[in-house]
Amino acid sequence: MRQMPWFGMDIGGTLVKLVYFEPTDNTPDDEKNETETVKIIRHYLKSRSAYGKTGKRDVHLQMECSIKNRRGILHFVRFPTSEMPVFISLARSKGIAQLASTVCATGGGAYKFEKQFSEELNLTLKKFDELASLIHGIHFIERYNPQECFYLQNPMEDEKFRKIPFDFSDSYPFLVVNIGSGVSILAVYSQDKYKRVSGTSLGGGTFVGLCCLLTGCETFEDAIALASSGDSNKVDKLVRDIYGGDYPKFGLTGDTIACSFGHMISKEKRDKVSKADLARATLVTITNNIGSIARMCAVNEGIERVVFTGNFLRVNQISMRLLAYAMDFWSGGTLKALFLEHEGYFGAVGCLLELV
Ligand SMILES: Nc1ncnc2c1ncn2[C@@H]1O[C@H](COP(=O)(O)OP(=O)(O)OP(=O)(O)O)[C@@H](O)[C@H]1O
Ligand SMILES: CC(C)(CO)[C@@H](O)C(=O)NCCC(=O)O
């Protein structure tokens, strides 16, 4: 194989995640042998944190590690899957086609775009399963970064909630709830033993899609910003709207949501809600539904630790706090919601590790 930068690519339904490993222990011989194309690509990736209008490097996530006995730095880049044609022509302009090489890829797009990579970039995709890569990536990153895993203390208290590091070293079994465009739920028993126990099509893509329809917003970031200033109680019907107070016999307090979007059957209420309220209610509905399915899976599998991953949680403290609260409250304190700093990048990392 000709020399190729160390890449792992996860081509998802919404976002492409590209992880680039930059060895930092090069010998003078390694440097001499480095091709011009590899130098150009490294320089392009490292000299900026934004690529075109939509590509981003998450500089705050970059980290040192060892892969295949090489020391180096992992860099994390993402761009929308809809921009794949732009990415392919950019990669061609940097001379990738001349390398006639192989890259490791995962996610549905590794299958969907395989022919295009081969025909337009002269690149062979070495394909890996997205969920195997996800689990592999979680184990790898967690081992290198003692601050990777955390939980939220006092999640519903604005002044008092805190991120607390969680020691993940003795964590089996655990559930992984990966919230991407859709949601996959896996039970993990050891490094190599896991199964996909469930999933739901009501995921991060549903939140963005519904928000675009309901509010006219255009992006995930706009939808989250709108949700931050909204009040979902103007949209959702609560137990107290039905009972006038609590429903104590079954532990339902008055402020529990009885019916998501339930107020929207009334024209008067519809006329009073803002776009922000609708965005918040959409976020809360999708999040609580995922939390509820995750809880049932955890109970079914007899698992107490639930790790939430996926880019839906990016810049989305509202959902993290809700999930943390919901898992604790609805399980009577037996389930713990855990989160990981590298959120949506584990699949890309896991497939980079397969590099021969
Ligand atoms: N900049 C962004 N643009 C679009 N969606 C974003 C962005 N940041 C976070 N998201 C959220 O992350 C979700 C995509 O997450 P992720 O990248 O983990 O999944 P995916 O791999 O694209 O999807 P799938 O695994 O279902 O194929 C989106 O649906 C959206 O809710
Ligand atoms: C199809 C995948 C695995 C693609 O990543 C994901 O979007 C997903 O798990 N969707 C939910 C499918 C289901 O209903 O189980």
Side-chain angles (χ1 to χ4, degrees), residues 10-17 78 80-81 108 130 178-183 203-208 220-221 309-315 343-344:
D10 177 1
I11 312 174
T14 307
L15 292 174
V16 178
K17 283 72 64 179
R78 62 185 152 84
T81 308
E130 63 174 295
N178 187 50
I179 318 178
S181 318
V183 184
T206 318
F207 162 63
V208 183
F220 172 79
E221 283 78 5
T309 60
N311 277 318
F312 174 65
L313 297 174
R314 247 197 79 238
V315 296
E343 286 152 353

Side-chain angles (χ1 to χ4, degrees), residues 238-290:
L238 306 184
V239 167
R240 71 161 171 268
D241 296 319
I242 298 173
Y243 269 74
D246 301 339
Y247 177 20
K249 184 172 176 195
F250 293 104
L252 295 170
T253 58
D255 58 5
T256 308
I257 300 167
C259 172
S260 300
F261 280 78
H263 280 324
M264 296 299 90
I265 59 169
S266 143
K267 176 158 186 351
E268 198 190 329
K269 293 235 160 66
R270 279 199 301 276
D271 289 343
K272 280 193 194 138
V273 290
S274 67
K275 290 182 172 183
D277 298 334
L278 289 167
R280 181 65 164 244
T282 309
L283 189 59
V284 170
T285 299
I286 294 295
T287 304
N288 279 340
N289 188 56
I290 294 168

Side-chain angles (χ1 to χ4, degrees), residues 74-109:
L74 273 182
H75 300 276
F76 298 89
V77 174
R78 62 185 152 84
F79 60 88
T81 308
S82 56
E83 296 291 303
M84 202 49 139
V86 179
F87 172 77
I88 287 180
S89 55
L90 179 75
R92 200 170 36 204
S93 76
K94 302 285 171 204
I96 289 263
Q98 276 81 58
L99 293 176
S101 192
T102 301
V103 265
C104 296
T106 189

